[in-house]
Structures are given as structure tokens and as C-alpha cells.
């Protein structure tokens, strides 16, 4: 299910739990796990490559810094804790679990999202590790732009549980 979050200013990091299915749609365009390209030009991770915003920043998998992390390295059919950081703040919307040039939502990446955090400050590696191990409130609350939980029930809108941002949309 594709998730589109509103535009945020001064984004530095995005943290989320994701389950990626092993069978993905066979299309000509790459699936996109995270896409923050309209404001950064280069902030994305797709099935085929990773943009320089995150290559030059920090990428974490299950609480560990993973320089050079690629989509192919992500295990399928298990929950993964991912944290992406840019070294320079940017303004953009955030698209998760989509496909570049997607015209049919059925062609989007297959999987599930749990919680999504949007950050306005760099995280200490210890904070990321603690969050990956299940304690969500380790970061100072004023560094978070928004927190979306996917276990809200039914519907197409996601509420920001911090009450700071506009709702996100599920497609």
C-alpha cells in the first residue's frame, strides 16, 4: 500500500517499519521504497538505485548504520526498521512504497508499513538503535515533525499522532 505524507520543511530524517513482500509486480519502472525527490532531486531508495541525498547521508537497518545499503540487501517477508538521514535539511512530501511513474496503484511495491516518523534533526546512532528495539520515544519530542501509525483501523487518511502535521494518505 502506497503512503503519501504531506510536505514538511526542514526534513532531516525519516524512520519507518516496513514489511516487503518477496513477489513484486513485474513492471518496466522500479519500485520505490522511499521518495523525497521533488524537493531534493535525489532523495530516494528504489529497487534499482539509491539517491545521493541518502548515500551521502546515513542509512540504518534494524538500528545499525549501513553505508551503501541497497534495496537488494533488504530481507523480504520480515519486519525491517529503516532510518534515512540527509546531511542537509530539505523540504518535500514523502512517498513510501510506490513506483516511479506509477499510474496504477496496483503496480506499487507490495508490502506493509507500520509507524512512520519524520524528523527535523539528526539522530544519535544510539537513539536509532533503541528505536529499532521497540522504544519509540527516545528522541526529544521537539525534533519530530510527525508520527504516523498504520494500525489506526480503516480508511485512507493517516493522522499525525503528534498533532503537528496534516494527515497522510493511503492509496
Amino acid at each position: 500500500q502506497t503512503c503519501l505524507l504531506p510536505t514538511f520543511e526542514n526534513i532531516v530524517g525519516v524512520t519507518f517499519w516496513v514489511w516487503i513482500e518477496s513477489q513484486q509486480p513485474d513492471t518496466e519502472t522500479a519500485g520505490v521504497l522511499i521518495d523525497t525527490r521533488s524537493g531534493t532531486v535525489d532523495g530516494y531508495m528504489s529497487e534499482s538505485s539509491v539517491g545521493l541525498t541518502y548515500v551521502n547521508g546515513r542509512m540504518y537497518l534494524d538500528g545499525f548504520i549501513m553505508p551503501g545499503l541497497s534495496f537488494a540487501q533488504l530481507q523480504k517477508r520480515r519486519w525491517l526498521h529503516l532510518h534515512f538521514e540527509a546531511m542537509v535539511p530539505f523540504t518535500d512530501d514523502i512517498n513510501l512504497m510506490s513506483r516511479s511513474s506509477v499510474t496504477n496503484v496496483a503496480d506499487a511495491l507490495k508490502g506493509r508499513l507500520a509507524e512512520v516518523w519524520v524528523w527535523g534533526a539528526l539522530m544519535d546512532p544510539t537513539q536509532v538503535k533503541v528505536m529499532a528495539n521497540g522504544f519509540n520515544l527516545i528522541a526529544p519530542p521537539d525534533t519530530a515533525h510527525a508520527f504516523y501509525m498504520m494500525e489506526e483501523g480503516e480508511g485512507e487518511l493517516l493522522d499525525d499522532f503528534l498533532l503537528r502535521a496534516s494527515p497522510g494518505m493511503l492509496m
Side-chain angles (χ1 to χ4, degrees):
Q1 116 193 78
T2 296
C3 174
L4 179 62
L5 301 180
T7 298
F8 294 92
E9 294 183 3
N10 297 315
I11 300 170
V12 175
V14 180
T15 305
F16 56 98
W17 285 93
V18 64
W19 175 286
I20 303 168
E21 294 295 343
S22 54
Q23 295 295 322
Q24 295 296 328
D26 186 20
T27 66
E28 294 179 17
T29 57
V32 180
L33 182 62
I34 181 170
D35 186 349
T36 56
R37 280 185 280 196
S38 63
T40 65
V41 179
D42 220 5
Y44 68 93
M45 174 185 268
S46 74
E47 290 176 303
S48 59
S49 63
V50 179
L52 290 177
T53 297
Y54 299 129
V55 169
N56 294 334
R58 293 188 295 206
M59 295 181 284
Y60 292 78
L61 172 62
D62 294 334
F64 296 94
I65 293 176
M66 301 288 291
L69 182 66
S70 70
F71 187 85
Q73 293 173 288
L74 301 178
Q75 286 184 297
K76 309 307 184 273
R77 301 196 49 75
R78 84 166 183 86
W79 284 105
L80 305 170
H81 183 267
L82 294 169
H83 178 75
F84 292 85
E85 285 185 338
M87 291 296 111
V88 177
F90 61 93
T91 298
D92 206 342
D93 60 2
I94 300 168
N95 196 337
L96 300 166
M97 300 293 288
S98 69
R99 188 159 299 275
S100 56
S101 305
V102 71
T103 56
N104 182 355
V105 174
D107 289 338
L109 275 180
K110 300 298 181 209
R112 295 181 296 236
L113 289 165
E115 27 185 81
V116 179
W117 289 87
V118 181
W119 303 101
L122 293 172
M123 304 292 283
D124 178 276
T126 303
Q127 293 171 319
V128 176
K129 187 173 277 193
V130 170
M131 284 177 40
N133 288 317
F135 183 67
N136 299 330
L137 301 176
I138 188 69
D142 58 342
T143 64
H145 288 315
F147 169 53
Y148 298 93
M149 284 184 22
M150 305 302 166
E151 296 95 13
E152 308 184 323
E154 297 181 9
E156 295 177 357
L157 290 180
L158 295 170
D159 290 323
D160 167 27
F161 279 74
L162 300 178
L163 304 175
R164 297 180 184 163
S166 298
M169 295 184 337
L170 293 175
M171 297 177 270

